[in-house]
């Protein structure tokens, strides 16, 4: 099971400090391994093993407890939850941990399905007679045991060694020689970081538990990509908002911004897909809808029956001629919130992506059955006109799954900027010892042809500078300027086609460089739609 910061069991998360900080230090395992095989009122009581994710799950007395399990190790995992209310008619039971919640639904006696509120997709659980015998005794925490637990966790779960050209067995042979019975935690930490760094994976990280609180000590990143800083964030916002026709309207504590650009183009900045409120997922989605309602309303605040200025659920003379969605500063969060936006930008269902998780510890090519994740049009107002999405190498995790979901939209969404970071999976948060924790991915998000964008990230249709020193120093935003030109050209092209005019008139009013940007984007869009 993995985690995005706003979810719990099955998909517990992105590699962020917020996610790591939720974890708890390892202690002795439960004294007994067997749990009753169900009791009246809850068919889920008992012991389960997830399909993939390396977790054992024990449910007894209304409490859900998890264990991190490898071939030679079992330690208590950090996920614990409490039953909330009685099971439903089909046995579905809700469990909560703080503001996070999940539901488990029995599928016969020996199988169950986990779904997180705010997550996408499901995790399958298979019933066991008992937890593995290793879970019956405290796990050893000497330096060699912790090293082996770390190595084996990656060996059994990490999907990308071959793609990254990493011989993980050779790495073990080289690095294990550095470990002795007197190796300190600080020295062991350095060894583990030396093993993580060559992966260049922003969904890998290491945390040190200090005074009971996990503190990140290393986070991966694709080499050559931009490092996020608060200073960069502030300068980037200055550059983008300078092009708006009025002040940006903030939502979600400033994590979302809504504005207007010239030529009737809307602007939606989404700098995070998490922490919109202090409440549960529903409250996060409600806050996002407030922003989307404001975005899609007419400039004077009037809305039609579908929540838009016009009655057709699309646009009107007072509505949007186009829309820019900016996720360049977005480092992730909830996939479901990304799909929530996509659902407001279409009036027809389509496939966002398919999810698979590595599920054979001995075979790095073994994955769960692909699970299709759809975009379903929301009940609220929709915008189905032209859209541009701005991306950068900071765009990671849920920002990338959102971008991937938008690639299936029709008409084609033009991507402008630079490649995204290249990390899509939820992450596993694994306890190594009372002092160390690690995060890693174990999933792939598949395109229609079965490929992924893991590693290099999703490329733009139109490449522009993003957050370069020169751009920031001049408060210039080439990506946003290009998006405006592309969308304006698209609108003029449509009008020109209707009037049976060619594109020559546009060449009279714009420079060759400007129209070439629009032509590149339009050609990419047409090619995508033909496929």
């Amino acid at each position: 099971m993995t985690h995005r910061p706003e979810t719990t069991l099955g998909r517990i998360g992105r590699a962020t400090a917020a996610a790591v900080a939720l974890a708890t230090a390892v202690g002795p395992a439960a004294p007994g391994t067997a749990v009753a095989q169900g009791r009246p009122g809850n068919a889920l009581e008992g012991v389960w093993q997830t399909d993939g994710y390396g977790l054992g799950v024990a449910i007894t007395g209304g409490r859900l407890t998890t264990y991190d399990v490898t071939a030679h190790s079992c330690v208590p995992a950090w996920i614990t939850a409490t039953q909330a209310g009685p099971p439903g008619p089909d046995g579905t039971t809700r469990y909560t941990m703080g503001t996070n919640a999940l539901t488990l639904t029995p599928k016969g006696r020996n199988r169950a399905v986990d779904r997180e509120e705010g997550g996408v997709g499901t995790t399958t659980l298979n019933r066991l007679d008992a937890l593995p015998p290793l879970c019956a005794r405290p796990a050893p925490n000497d330096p060699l045991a912790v090293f082996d637990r770390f190595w084996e966790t990656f060996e059994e779960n990490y999907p990308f060694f071959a793609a990254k050209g990493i011989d993980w067995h050779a790495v073990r042979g080289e690095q294990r020689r550095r470990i002795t019975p007197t190796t300190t935690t600080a020295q062991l930490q350095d060894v583990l970081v030396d093993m993580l760094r060559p992966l260049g994976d922003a969904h890998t990280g290491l945390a040190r538990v200090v005074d009971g609180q996990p503190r990140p000590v290393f986070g991966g990143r694709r080499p050559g990509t931009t490092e996020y800083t608060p200073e960069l964030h502030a300068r980037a916002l200055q550059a983008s908002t300078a092009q708006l026709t009025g002040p940006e309207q903030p939502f979600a504590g400033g994590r979302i911004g809504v504005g207007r650009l010239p030529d009737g183009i809307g602007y939606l900045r989404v700098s995070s897909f998490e922490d919109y409120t202090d409440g549960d997922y529903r409250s996060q989605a409600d806050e996002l809808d407030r922003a989307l309602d404001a975005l899609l309303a007419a400039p004077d605040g009037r809305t039609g029956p579908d929540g838009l200025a016009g009655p057709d659920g699309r646009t009107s003379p007072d509505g949007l001629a186009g829309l820019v969605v900016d996720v360049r500063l977005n480092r992730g969060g909830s996939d479901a919130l990304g799909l929530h936006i996509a659902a407001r930008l279409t009036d027809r269902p389509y496939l966002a992506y398919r999810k698979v998780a590595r599920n054979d510890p001995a075979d790095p090519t073994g994955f769960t059955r692909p699970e299709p994740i759809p975009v379903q049009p929301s009940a609220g107002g929709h915008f189905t006109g032209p859209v541009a999405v701005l991306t950068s190498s900071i765009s990671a995790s849920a920002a990338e799954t959102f971008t991937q979901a938008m690639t299936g939209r029709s008409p084609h969404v033009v991507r402008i900027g630079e490649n995204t970071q290249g990390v899509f999976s939820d992450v596993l948060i694994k306890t190594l010892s009372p002092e160390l924790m690690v995060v890693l991915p174990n999933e792939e998000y598949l395109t229609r042809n079965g490929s992924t964008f893991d590693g290099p990230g999703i490329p733009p249709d139109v490449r522009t500078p993003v957050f370069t020193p020169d751009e920031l120093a001049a408060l210039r935003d080439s990506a946003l300027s290009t998006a405006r030109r592309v969308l304006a050209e698209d609108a003029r092209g449509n009008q020109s086609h209707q009037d049976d005019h060619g594109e020559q008139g546009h060449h009279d009013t714009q420079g060759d460089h400007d129209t070439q940007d629009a032509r590149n984007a339009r050609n990419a869009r047409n090619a995508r739609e033909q496929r």
Side-chain angles (χ1 to χ4, degrees), residues 208-221:
R208 180 86 171 264
V209 180
V210 179
D211 296 328
Q213 295 297 318
R215 299 179 182 176
V217 296
F218 173 79
R221 181 157 52 93

Side-chain angles (χ1 to χ4, degrees), residues 157-485:
N157 294 284
Y158 191 72
F160 306 120
F161 287 125
K164 294 178 180 294
I166 301 292
D167 184 340
W168 195 236
H169 288 256
V171 170
R172 179 181 185 271
E174 176 185 353
Q175 298 294 342
R176 199 172 190 269
R177 292 195 295 267
R178 298 170 61 183
I179 310 300
T180 72
T182 61
T183 297
T184 66
T185 299
Q187 292 169 331
L188 176 59
Q189 173 184 301
D190 290 343
V191 173
L192 302 186
V193 169
D194 286 346
M195 297 170 73
L196 291 174
R197 185 175 285 111
L199 298 176
D201 191 325
H203 271 174
T204 62
L206 191 71
R208 180 86 171 264
V209 180
V210 179
D211 296 328
Q213 295 297 318
R215 299 179 182 176
V217 296
F218 173 79
R221 181 157 52 93
R222 177 160 58 86
T225 57
T226 302
E227 182 178 5
Y228 173 91
T229 66
E231 293 75 21
L232 181 149
H233 189 121
R235 297 287 285 177
L237 288 187
Q238 285 182 285
S240 59
T241 57
Q243 297 195 32
L244 301 181
T245 58
E248 185 184 77
Q249 186 178 359
F251 294 87
R255 292 173 178 82
I256 303 173
V258 170
R260 288 290 191 272
L261 294 159
D263 300 315
I265 298 171
Y267 176 74
L268 175 66
R269 173 183 57 81
V270 187
S271 295
S272 175
F273 279 120
E274 63 180 336
D275 293 336
Y276 293 170
T277 72
D278 294 330
D280 60 10
Y281 172 75
R282 186 64 262 165
S283 71
Q284 314 278 328
D286 288 345
E287 178 67 5
L288 178 56
D289 271 328
R290 288 184 60 236
L292 294 173
D293 289 343
L295 173 75
L296 299 180
D300 62 3
R302 292 180 294 108
T303 58
D306 293 309
L308 290 176
D312 61 358
R314 291 175 174 81
T315 186
S316 80
D318 294 327
L320 301 180
L323 172 63
V324 176
V325 184
D326 189 347
V327 294
R328 289 175 295 172
L329 294 168
N330 192 317
R331 293 173 291 164
S334 165
D335 287 341
L337 291 175
L339 293 181
H340 198 85
I341 296 177
R344 298 289 298 268
L345 302 181
T346 186
D347 58 1
R348 67 192 72 175
Y350 65 89
L351 179 70
Y353 39 76
R354 291 182 174 88
K355 287 186 67 172
V356 296
R358 189 175 162 190
N359 71 340
D360 187 338
D363 181 4
T365 66
F367 288 84
T368 56
R369 182 186 301 274
E371 180 176 11
I373 307 298
V375 173
Q376 296 285 359
S378 69
H382 307 114
F383 175 73
T384 59
V387 175
V389 172
L390 308 186
T391 63
S392 78
S393 63
I394 292 174
S395 306
S397 202
E400 299 185 84
T401 65
F402 163 74
T403 303
Q404 185 169 348
M406 293 297 286
T407 64
R409 179 186 186 265
S410 181
H412 173 63
V413 173
V414 181
R415 302 185 305 276
I416 298 172
E418 62 184 8
N419 285 50
T420 61
Q421 177 64 210
V423 289
F424 294 77
S425 173
D426 305 325
V427 300
L428 303 168
I429 301 176
K430 295 292 187 179
T431 302
L432 299 177
S433 74
E435 297 178 286
L436 292 171
M437 303 184 67
V438 70
V439 293
L440 71 154
N442 73 319
E443 298 172 333
E444 292 182 348
Y445 284 52
L446 305 179
T447 64
R448 287 181 179 274
N449 65 9
S451 63
T452 77
F453 295 106
D454 287 289
I458 301 176
D461 294 317
V462 180
R463 192 172 298 277
T464 70
V466 180
F467 304 149
T468 65
D470 288 345
E471 290 263 309
L472 294 176
L475 291 181
R476 185 170 58 243
D477 191 338
S478 295
L480 182 55
S481 298
T482 300
R484 289 171 51 192
R485 290 195 295 268

Side-chain angles (χ1 to χ4, degrees), residues 13-43:
R14 297 295 184 180
T16 65
V20 173
L22 292 173
T24 57
V26 63
T33 58
V35 179
Q37 291 297 301
R39 68 176 189 176
N42 192 345

Side-chain angles (χ1 to χ4, degrees), residues 462-465 471 476 478-479 481-482 485-486 489 506-507 509-521:
V462 180
R463 192 172 298 277
T464 70
E471 290 263 309
R476 185 170 58 243
S478 295
S481 298
T482 300
R485 290 195 295 268
V486 166
E489 174 76 6
H506 303 313
H507 286 247
T509 58
Q510 293 188 51
D512 289 341
H513 176 74
D514 290 357
T515 55
Q516 186 61 49
D517 287 336
R519 286 196 296 272
N520 289 344

Side-chain angles (χ1 to χ4, degrees), residues 21-110:
L22 292 173
T24 57
V26 63
T33 58
V35 179
Q37 291 297 301
R39 68 176 189 176
N42 192 345
L44 293 167
E45 293 270 325
V47 175
W48 303 83
Q49 180 179 0
T50 57
D51 187 9
Y53 304 96
L55 279 181
V57 182
I59 301 175
T60 182
R63 186 167 180 81
L64 182 150
T65 306
T66 56
Y67 298 82
D68 289 326
V69 181
T70 68
H72 300 98
S73 178
C74 175
V75 298
W78 68 278
I79 307 164
T80 60
T82 304
Q83 183 174 329
D90 63 350
T92 295
T93 306
R94 187 172 186 263
Y95 295 87
T96 60
M97 185 179 71
T99 59
N100 298 320
L102 62 95
T103 59
L104 292 179
T105 302
K107 300 293 184 179
R109 177 176 175 77
N110 295 317

